[in-house]
Amino acid sequence: MITSKKIQALTGLSARTLRYYEQLGLIKPERDASSNYRVYRENDVTTLQQILIFKKMGFKLSVIKDILQNPEFNLDAALDLQMKMLNKQKQELEQVINNVKQTIQARKGEITMTDIEKFAGLKETLLQENEANYGDELRQKYGEATYEAAQEKFTKISESSYRGLVNNETKLIQNLHTVLLNPEKEAELKQDIFTEHQSWLKQLLPQYSTKIHLGIIQLYQCDSRFSAYYDKRAGVGATNLLVKICRSFLS
């Protein structure tokens, strides 16, 4: 039997994600008789390995569950499929690497890159980072359909819209930083801070609503990875400040 902490260290998954997988029925840890803590068997480790590989290949959790729980599931066939998919991902990664190389050459003046070439590689990198860092938690909070719709929307965003998104977030971070340094400016800037955050979410979420907005800021407080995003960029306390201001407008 393997403890929850060892599983987290082994897989890199958070306790929250492990509980989410349990709720979905993907894994079924037992309870230690003496401590009542969750403990995992070797087959749970194998299942988690399969889940992580399938997720790397772009499969949705609902599809992964269907695959793993299919009585006709064949591990050898699945591994063969995974190898084929990984080779496809290898090709995609090579495209990203090539894009980075071209960017370096362009900055040195050796070649000229079109705006389309520059932006295509950037979007792919950002999508992969978002999936790796926050995918499971966002799916758990909002559901597969909402998360995938947001990802799909981002893949279709134009370069000008993306630049507007970045500028909007830059203003938000600057205003948060200003209020942290000068608390007396909160009354003056709180409307701008809320509007900038709301606008940023509306550009990313096709199904934006007040409920979703409230859920997003709740995640900021509950998960250190989310809260670190603004605290690192605007200063310690920026996340709590943003949450407080948003709640004052949304409640």
Side-chain angles (χ1 to χ4, degrees):
M1 292 292 185
I2 306 173
T3 65
S4 181
K5 285 188 177 180
K6 287 184 179 179
I7 282 286
Q8 291 175 54
L10 184 65
T11 63
L13 297 171
S14 67
R16 182 190 181 110
T17 298
L18 288 171
R19 289 195 298 271
Y20 180 46
Y21 289 173
E22 183 181 348
Q23 290 170 10
L24 291 178
L26 288 167
I27 53 175
K28 297 177 181 179
E30 298 178 4
R31 293 280 183 172
D32 182 81
S34 59
S35 66
N36 200 37
Y37 290 155
R38 289 175 174 83
V39 288
Y40 299 82
R41 296 164 296 177
E42 286 300 324
N43 65 320
D44 290 315
V45 177
T46 301
T47 299
L48 287 170
Q49 178 196 34
Q50 289 295 306
I51 292 171
L52 292 174
I53 293 175
F54 276 124
K55 276 178 55 49
K56 281 287 185 182
M57 293 160 54
F59 283 80
K60 300 178 183 178
L61 285 173
S62 58
V63 176
I64 294 173
K65 181 179 179 180
D66 289 340
I67 292 172
L68 296 179
Q69 295 187 350
N70 188 328
E72 297 180 1
F73 173 69
N74 183 302
L75 181 58
D76 291 332
L79 289 171
D80 183 60
L81 171 63
Q82 288 168 352
M83 181 59 71
K84 292 177 181 178
M85 295 293 291
L86 287 170
N87 282 326
K88 180 178 181 295
Q89 286 190 333
K90 179 183 176 182
Q91 294 175 353
E92 294 172 351
L93 181 58
E94 286 174 346
Q95 290 177 347
V96 174
I97 292 172
N98 185 57
N99 183 270
V100 172
K101 287 180 179 178
Q102 288 181 320
T103 301
I104 293 172
Q105 290 177 305
R107 290 182 63 82
K108 290 180 178 180
E110 298 172 1
I111 63 170
T112 299
M113 287 183 72
T114 66
D115 289 340
I116 292 175
E117 288 173 330
K118 294 176 185 176
F119 192 54
L122 176 61
K123 281 198 298 184
E124 181 62 30
T125 300
L126 291 173
L127 284 168
Q128 290 177 0
E129 288 178 352
N130 186 69
E131 171 62 30
N133 294 329
Y134 311 114
D136 287 336
E137 281 75 13
L138 292 173
R139 283 187 175 90
Q140 180 181 5
K141 185 74 178 178
Y142 303 107
E144 191 82 32
T146 298
Y147 177 78
E148 292 299 332
Q151 292 287 87
E152 179 68 18
K153 183 172 183 179
F154 188 77
T155 63
K156 296 178 180 178
I157 193 172
S158 67
E159 183 180 3
S160 60
S161 295
Y162 176 74
R163 297 304 172 197
L165 193 67
V166 172
N167 290 335
N168 187 77
E169 186 183 36
T170 299
K171 291 177 184 176
L172 170 61
I173 291 171
Q174 288 174 343
N175 283 334
L176 287 170
H177 183 65
T178 297
V179 174
L180 285 176
L181 294 178
N182 305 282
E184 69 277 5
K185 289 186 175 289
E186 181 176 341
E188 174 189 344
L189 294 175
K190 66 180 183 179
Q191 177 67 65
D192 288 343
I193 288 172
F194 171 72
T195 302
E196 286 153 3
H197 191 253
Q198 184 184 52
S199 175
W200 183 72
L201 290 178
K202 284 183 175 179
Q203 286 179 275
L204 291 174
L205 301 174
Q207 299 172 336
Y208 171 86
S209 67
T210 298
K211 182 178 180 180
I212 287 178
H213 198 152
L214 283 167
I216 289 286
I217 61 175
Q218 182 182 356
L219 269 181
Y220 288 172
Q221 286 191 311
C222 295
D223 193 310
S224 60
R225 291 170 302 164
F226 288 89
S227 59
Y229 184 84
Y230 286 105
D231 280 9
K232 285 181 179 179
R233 288 161 176 77
V236 176
T239 302
N240 287 335
L241 174 62
L242 176 60
V243 170
K244 182 184 77 170
I245 288 174
C246 286
R247 278 193 174 138
S248 71
F249 285 94
L250 295 168
S251 301

